Amino acid sequence: MSDSLDLASARKVLAAQPFSALLGARLTAFGKGAATLELDIRGELLQQFGYVHGGVLGYAADNASAFAAGTVAGPRLTTSGLTIDFLRPARGELLRARAEVVRAGRTRVVCRCDLITVDGQGTETLCAVSQGAIAVT
C-alpha cells in the first residue's frame, strides 16, 4: 500500500480480507495520506437498540486508518493501538470512515478517522472519532 499502489490495487487488498468481505466494506478513496472505507448499514450490523454496533465502528476506523497509513508507509503494517469516542448513535443507510495520516514516522504512523453516517437524503452525521497508531512491521 505505498504511493505507487492505486485505488484499484488497494481494493484487491481489501477484497482479500475475509472479514471485510463479510461486512461488505468498500474502499472509495485511497492516496496521499488518506483513505475512505464505506459499508451499507443493514440489520445484521445493528445492536439491540437499532444503532450500528460499536464493533462495526471500531472495525471501520481500524481498517480505514491502516489503509491511510499504507499510502505513506507501504503494505507491511499492523494496528498497534486505537481509541474511539462514540459521539452519538450511528444510524442511517451508509457508514463512511474517513481516515488521514497525522504523522508518519519510520516505525509508526498515527492516523485519525471520522466515522460518519449518511441518511437517505445524503445528510452526513458525525457519530464517532478515532485515533490510531499503525506499526510498520
Side-chain angles (χ1 to χ4, degrees):
M1 288 186 282
S2 67
D3 285 328
S4 64
L5 189 65
D6 62 6
L7 179 59
S9 299
R11 284 178 171 158
K12 289 179 183 175
V13 172
L14 181 68
Q17 300 174 354
F19 189 64
S20 293
L22 177 69
L23 293 178
R26 302 176 299 278
L27 197 58
T28 59
F30 175 85
K32 297 182 182 174
T36 301
L37 185 80
E38 295 182 349
L39 54 92
D40 296 324
I41 296 173
R42 58 186 200 275
E44 298 87 355
L45 304 181
L46 306 180
Q47 43 86 297
Q48 71 274 18
F49 299 117
Y51 309 131
V52 177
H53 192 282
V56 175
L57 295 169
Y59 153 81
D62 175 17
N63 223 14
S65 294
F67 272 97
T71 69
V72 298
R76 303 217 24 104
L77 304 169
T78 188
T79 302
S80 61
L82 181 77
T83 61
I84 188 165
D85 289 297
F86 301 106
L87 307 175
R88 63 181 46 90
R91 53 185 157 195
E93 295 187 7
L94 178 78
L95 175 65
R96 179 174 293 141
R98 289 186 188 138
E100 63 182 25
V101 172
V102 174
R103 183 179 185 281
R106 187 176 52 77
T107 61
R108 251 177 229 270
V109 180
V110 174
C111 297
R112 68 174 156 233
C113 183
D114 288 342
L115 295 146
I116 298 157
T117 55
V118 183
D119 68 16
Q121 291 74 44
T123 303
E124 293 187 350
T125 301
L126 181 67
C127 59
V129 293
S130 76
Q131 180 172 301
I134 314 299
V136 179
T137 58

